[in-house]
Amino acid sequence: MAIKVNRRMMSAIFLVGISCGLVVTAQVSAVQELLAEYGREGAGKYNAVNGEKLWKRVQVDAKTGQKRSCVTCHTNDLRKPGKHARTGKLIKPMAPSVNADRLTDKKKIEKWFHRNCKWTLGRICTPQEKADILAYLANQ
Amino acid sequence: MVSSKLRVWDLPTKVFHWGLVLSFVAAWLLRGDRYLHLHVLAGYLFFFLLLFRLYWGLAGSFHARFSSFIRPLPEVWEYLKKATGRKAPRHLGHNPAGGWAVLLLMSLGLMISITGLLTLGVEEGHGPLAGILGREWAALFHASHQALAWAMLSMVGLHLVAVFRESVLHRENLPLAMLTGYKRTDTKARAENVQPHAAVALALLGVMLGFSLWWGRGYLLHSGNEPYLPFSGPMLSRNALWEEECGACHLAYHPSLLPRRSWNRLLTQQENHFSEDLYLDAGTISRLRAYAVTGEAGNTVTEASWKIHNSIPAAKTPVRITETGYWKNKHKDIPEKLWTRSDIGGRHNCTACHLDARQGWFEDGAMRIPFNEKNMTRIM
């Protein structure tokens, strides 16, 4: 009898543990899987320091002469909400430590890399650049 | 000639008269989109007073009854001839011309009320007559409502001139008599005080006050951060995917704000969306397209969608709401420097000024230029 109860309790604890873990795992797995994919696409070892540099690098737009960087919309402090430079709409913080929804969906990350690199840098980012930025963002 | 004072106008008649004056003036001053909610309140009170007066014309005290002051037309003619020669005989109640003026003013008032209700129902989709006819009737009702209001204003002008003339001619203050209810009389005339009917007048005032409080309850009871919206529009279609994908960089504009062909073009040209590459996959695009075309402006579910739709020439396919004729016309008075103000951020940012932009309604009375302490700009 007593053993049965213990088993049930253990499986309950196990399940609760799993579901808590899932939230964190989603983030880790989305980032890990993407990093692996970027590796297969030719990226070398990712480097968060290079990622940070790229994140903050200012690029002058050829057509408009505007100065643009990832910081333009996401602000210098990744824990704070940003503001869309073109529309004024509020953007939730980028740091996964304050916004658990961040970096949990591969497709979404890829979509925004595509959009934002094109607008900010005038071209899409290379797998190496994406890997570096992702490594930088994931640690915030 | 001994003269004494006699009560001619009972209290309900006085409440009617001055109530009608106030509600007419209020509705006139509160015309236009911004104050529609209060304009409509004034209109309801105006209408209610007129309906009451019809009843009081049958059941009221002697001088208030139609039978006492509606005279046959030949008699009116005789009176008018004498009046132009400054020999008009004095009347205790309404004179024969005045009696018909009362009828004419009341008919105009009733027609104004009815066309007002029709405009509210057909153009705005509110009130008891909401949606009884297609929106293509709206312009007719709106124009008649305005024309009738001008006609009534002119009649009021004539009425004021006549009252002034008669006051001078008979050396008595007629407006004051309508306030006190009393007029001077000579004992020769066999006349009696009318009943004051205070209870009826109190009930009349009570109903109007109660209705006004009920109408304005939203302003009084409303709490919370969101501002009070006096008019709520129809339930519009919602779509989570649309909110997510098209609400990421700006307000997810409701599909009712542009015609089908515009949404088609916007979604087809997604890789160059105002120099953004939306990079949406084909499946997402087709689901967004399906939602957009069912809710498009051609369905004219709101006044805004109907008017935007009508302002777009058939050969044009605008990709901006802000380039449609109706939108431009409605916002032409807003100075350029307001658009670039940091808390507004541009024409596309409807939410800055329209409290119900998210719902897609764009109702009258839900728009305001946000107050900015720095440059104190406020245009309305």
Side-chain angles (χ1 to χ4, degrees):
Chain A
M1 239 355 229
I3 298 163
K4 260 188 191 164
V5 172
N6 267 340
R7 272 199 192 144
R8 265 194 218 150
M9 275 169 65
M10 271 163 67
S11 40
I13 292 170
F14 185 67
L15 280 178
V16 171
I18 288 219
S19 29
C20 289
L22 271 178
V23 181
V24 180
T25 332
Q27 221 158 56
V28 173
S29 69
V31 173
Q32 289 308 331
E33 282 173 30
L34 271 180
L35 287 175
E37 275 171 36
Y38 295 146
R40 284 195 293 279
E41 290 166 19
K45 181 96 185 76
Y46 53 81
N47 181 334
V49 178
N50 284 347
E52 180 171 6
K53 276 194 206 136
L54 191 57
W55 183 261
K56 295 184 176 162
R57 195 172 78 200
V58 177
Q59 182 91 9
V60 178
D61 182 56
K63 255 189 272 167
T64 58
Q66 279 172 340
K67 285 185 186 161
R68 294 176 181 180
S69 74
C70 306
V71 169
T72 312
C73 293
H74 293 296
T75 76
N76 260 317
D77 186 348
L78 292 174
R79 295 154 176 278
K80 295 245 173 68
K83 192 175 172 196
H84 197 288
R86 296 192 62 197
T87 65
K89 193 178 191 290
L90 233 61
I91 302 174
K92 294 199 193 106
M94 282 301 278
S97 58
V98 290
N99 183 356
D101 291 338
R102 284 292 175 224
L103 312 181
T104 53
D105 180 344
K106 271 170 31 179
K107 210 172 144 193
K108 182 175 177 189
I109 300 173
E110 270 290 274
K111 183 176 73 187
W112 284 105
F113 264 142
H114 186 93
R115 288 176 177 170
N116 293 344
C117 287
K118 261 187 128 175
W119 189 79
T120 316
L121 311 171
R123 58 171 176 83
I124 54 172
C125 291
T126 63
Q128 182 67 58
E129 287 170 328
K130 290 195 278 190
D132 291 348
I133 292 176
L134 207 52
Y136 163 63
L137 290 178
N139 287 333
Q140 299 301 309
Chain B
M1 192 166 79
V2 190
S3 65
S4 60
K5 270 190 352 177
L6 200 63
R7 190 188 301 109
V8 177
W9 307 121
D10 58 27
L11 278 167
T13 306
K14 293 194 288 183
V15 170
F16 161 77
H17 180 271
W18 296 111
L20 200 73
V21 170
L22 285 180
S23 56
F24 184 82
V25 170
W28 191 280
L29 295 179
L30 297 168
R31 70 193 184 282
D33 297 334
R34 178 73 173 81
Y35 301 103
L36 188 71
H37 193 241
L38 296 174
H39 174 89
V40 171
L41 169 62
Y44 274 130
L45 296 178
F46 181 79
F47 191 30
F48 172 70
L49 282 165
L50 285 165
L51 292 179
F52 168 79
R53 187 65 183 87
L54 280 182
Y55 159 73
W56 205 237
L58 304 173
S61 64
F62 180 75
H63 292 289
R65 283 202 297 273
F66 297 130
S67 58
S68 75
F69 63 77
I70 304 299
R71 310 302 308 160
L73 287 176
E75 200 176 310
V76 177
W77 185 238
E78 277 306 306
Y79 176 85
L80 279 177
K81 272 200 289 193
K82 283 185 199 148
T84 45
R86 295 182 162 276
K87 291 193 291 278
R90 183 167 175 271
H91 287 258
L92 212 46
H94 294 299
N95 68 49
W100 281 92
V102 169
L103 269 199
L104 190 60
L105 278 168
M106 284 180 63
S107 322
L108 281 172
L110 287 169
M111 287 193 287
I112 291 175
S113 310
I114 290 165
T115 52
L117 280 172
L118 281 166
T119 309
L120 182 70
V122 173
E123 183 169 312
E124 307 284 338
H126 293 299
L129 304 183
I132 58 155
L133 282 170
R135 287 188 198 270
E136 62 275 13
W137 290 90
L140 176 71
F141 294 140
H142 201 144
S144 333
H145 186 59
Q146 285 174 328
L148 286 163
W150 278 104
M152 181 150 179
L153 190 71
S154 329
M155 272 305 292
V156 167
L158 214 62
H159 168 65
L160 291 180
V161 171
V163 165
F164 179 74
R165 267 186 65 116
E166 203 178 324
S167 294
V168 171
L169 190 67
H170 300 301
R171 290 190 187 359
E172 70 179 335
N173 188 338
L174 288 179
L176 187 69
M178 189 46 92
L179 213 56
T180 62
Y182 286 96
K183 286 176 92 170
R184 136 179 82 74
T185 178
D186 37 300
T187 42
K188 272 190 294 178
R190 289 206 306 115
E192 291 168 28
N193 274 327
V194 299
Q195 286 285 318
H197 289 295
V200 178
L202 267 179
L204 190 61
L205 283 172
V207 168
M208 291 196 294
L209 186 70
F211 180 76
S212 304
L213 285 175
W214 175 78
W215 188 261
R217 71 197 180 285
Y219 299 103
L220 305 174
L221 302 179
H222 185 76
S223 59
N225 303 327
E226 294 285 306
Y228 169 61
L229 298 176
F231 288 112
S232 43
M235 282 310 285
L236 296 184
S237 57
R238 286 264 91 100
N239 181 288
L241 185 69
W242 182 269
E243 304 276 319
E244 158 108 19
E245 294 297 350
C246 303
C249 298
H250 47 64
L251 164 72
Y253 304 111
H254 195 269
S256 64
L257 296 171
L258 281 176
R260 175 191 300 248
R261 59 183 184 282
S262 297
W263 295 122
N264 269 327
R265 175 165 296 178
L266 274 162
L267 291 169
T268 309
Q269 299 178 343
Q270 62 136 337
E271 73 289 347
N272 187 7
H273 181 79
F274 308 94
S275 18
E276 302 278 337
D277 182 352
L278 297 189
Y279 198 57
L280 295 166
D281 59 62
T284 308
I285 286 288
S286 74
R287 279 158 73 202
L288 291 175
R289 192 191 301 272
Y291 169 63
V293 298
T294 47
E296 56 122 7
N299 297 342
T300 67
V301 281
T302 59
E303 183 191 359
S305 64
W306 155 255
K307 292 192 168 165
I308 287 174
H309 192 72
N310 282 353
S311 74
I312 305 174
K316 286 253 165 67
T317 304
V319 288
R320 282 183 182 273
I321 303 155
T322 53
E323 64 175 305
T324 60
Y326 177 64
W327 193 95
K328 284 204 220 154
N329 185 37
K330 274 287 169 184
H331 299 84
K332 64 178 185 304
D333 295 335
I334 296 178
E336 191 57 41
K337 67 168 198 273
L338 215 66
W339 295 117
T340 50
R341 218 174 71 186
S342 66
D343 60 334
I344 292 177
R347 292 175 163 74
H348 62 271
N349 192 14
C350 322
T351 358
C353 311
H354 293 275
L355 307 176
D356 58 355
R358 222 166 280 286
Q359 291 92 324
W361 292 334
F362 298 92
E363 287 285 343
D364 299 287
M367 56 212 159
R368 53 215 55 181
I369 305 291
F371 186 62
N372 182 320
E373 281 169 63
K374 246 200 247 136
N375 49 10
M376 305 292 275
T377 331
R378 196 178 223 181
I379 66 158
M380 338 216 10

